[in-house]
Amino acid sequence: MISVNDFKTGVTIEVDNGIWRVMEFQHVKPGKGAAFVRTKLRNLRTGSVTEKTFRAGEKVAKAQIDNRKMQYLYASGDSHAFMDTETYDQIELPEKNIEYELKFLQENMEVQVIQFQGEVLGVELPNSVVLEVVETDPGIKGDTASGGSKPAKLSTGLVVQVPFFINEGDKLIINTTDSSYVSRA
């Protein structure tokens, strides 16, 4: 059991017959009434996000999540193959479980596969990945006065807004939490 006062971003808990990861939390102490903790939780089975409020000091069950380092191998129809880097065991995950993560996955990329009591829940990406620009409009000299941006299609099919000086073939560092451009690689 874990007290809601000890919540941190990334903690996994069992509430309402679901496995949830704390995305955001805020301790609130109103002038009148008891303190409470407002949270934003992501369901690790379905990917849905919900907001839930807990009374201060309330206890919830902490979910024991196993993270295994695995390598993304290939896509095969509606499933994607991953290999354990230590035991060389292979597992296949359905596309619906990793739709968001597919925007960043490249062959031979190492990721953390999240498991709960032997059930594979999904994939945890690194904080940032390096992807190549495959399609973008050319930047025109003098276009940067306003500090604007343009869309760029990356090697995985993801489209992000990038500064005008980025060209096709450039390798970019992309933040996986919000799909945003960070810098050139």
Side-chain angles (χ1 to χ4, degrees), residues 82-98:
F82 293 84
M83 178 182 70
D84 191 314
T85 55
E86 293 173 13
T87 64
Y88 302 108
D89 292 338
Q90 290 188 20
I91 62 166
E92 289 200 0
L93 292 178
E95 192 167 307
K96 65 180 180 61
N97 288 15
I98 55 171

Side-chain angles (χ1 to χ4, degrees), residues 118-148:
E119 173 191 0
V120 177
L121 297 175
V123 172
E124 194 170 286
L125 297 166
N127 292 334
S128 61
V129 294
V130 177
L131 298 173
E132 185 176 344
V133 177
V134 293
E135 185 182 318
T136 188
D137 296 330
I140 300 165
K141 191 171 181 140
D143 258 355
T144 60
S146 64

Side-chain angles (χ1 to χ4, degrees), residues 14-33:
E14 287 183 74
V15 178
D16 303 331
N17 296 325
I19 314 302
W20 303 85
R21 171 163 285 145
V22 177
M23 305 299 287
E24 295 174 15
F25 66 98
Q26 180 182 17
H27 294 278
V28 180
K29 297 175 187 155
K32 182 179 178 185

Side-chain angles (χ1 to χ4, degrees), residues 63-123:
Q64 292 301 321
I65 298 293
D66 296 323
N67 285 341
R68 291 174 50 198
K69 185 185 259 186
M70 297 190 123
Q71 185 177 32
Y72 175 63
L73 297 178
Y74 57 87
S76 157
D78 287 345
S79 62
H80 297 268
F82 293 84
M83 178 182 70
D84 191 314
T85 55
E86 293 173 13
T87 64
Y88 302 108
D89 292 338
Q90 290 188 20
I91 62 166
E92 289 200 0
L93 292 178
E95 192 167 307
K96 65 180 180 61
N97 288 15
I98 55 171
E99 277 183 63
Y100 177 77
E101 290 83 355
L102 285 175
K103 298 178 197 173
F104 306 100
L105 281 176
Q106 299 177 34
E107 288 186 5
N108 303 322
M109 182 179 187
E110 290 201 348
V111 295
Q112 297 286 331
V113 172
I114 305 164
Q115 292 182 312
F116 175 73
Q117 296 175 349
E119 173 191 0
V120 177
L121 297 175
V123 172

Side-chain angles (χ1 to χ4, degrees), residues 1-77:
M1 298 295 273
I2 183 173
S3 169
V4 296
N5 297 335
D6 298 331
F7 275 2
K8 290 180 176 48
T9 302
V11 168
T12 51
I13 58 173
E14 287 183 74
V15 178
D16 303 331
N17 296 325
I19 314 302
W20 303 85
R21 171 163 285 145
V22 177
M23 305 299 287
E24 295 174 15
F25 66 98
Q26 180 182 17
H27 294 278
V28 180
K29 297 175 187 155
K32 182 179 178 185
F36 57 92
V37 178
R38 188 176 293 135
T39 61
K40 185 183 267 188
L41 306 170
R42 170 175 276 141
N43 187 317
L44 293 180
R45 285 194 176 111
T46 64
S48 64
V49 176
T50 187
E51 293 190 9
K52 188 163 176 63
T53 303
F54 298 93
R55 291 186 306 276
E58 189 175 337
K59 300 249 189 236
V60 293
K62 187 170 169 95
Q64 292 301 321
I65 298 293
D66 296 323
N67 285 341
R68 291 174 50 198
K69 185 185 259 186
M70 297 190 123
Q71 185 177 32
Y72 175 63
L73 297 178
Y74 57 87
S76 157

Side-chain angles (χ1 to χ4, degrees), residues 154-179:
L154 305 176
S155 56
T156 60
L158 177 66
V159 176
V160 296
Q161 292 295 319
V162 298
F164 286 121
F165 61 81
I166 299 296
N167 298 311
E168 287 182 19
D170 287 355
K171 294 200 181 294
L172 307 180
I173 298 174
I174 304 296
N175 182 339
T176 59
T177 54
D178 60 2
S179 304

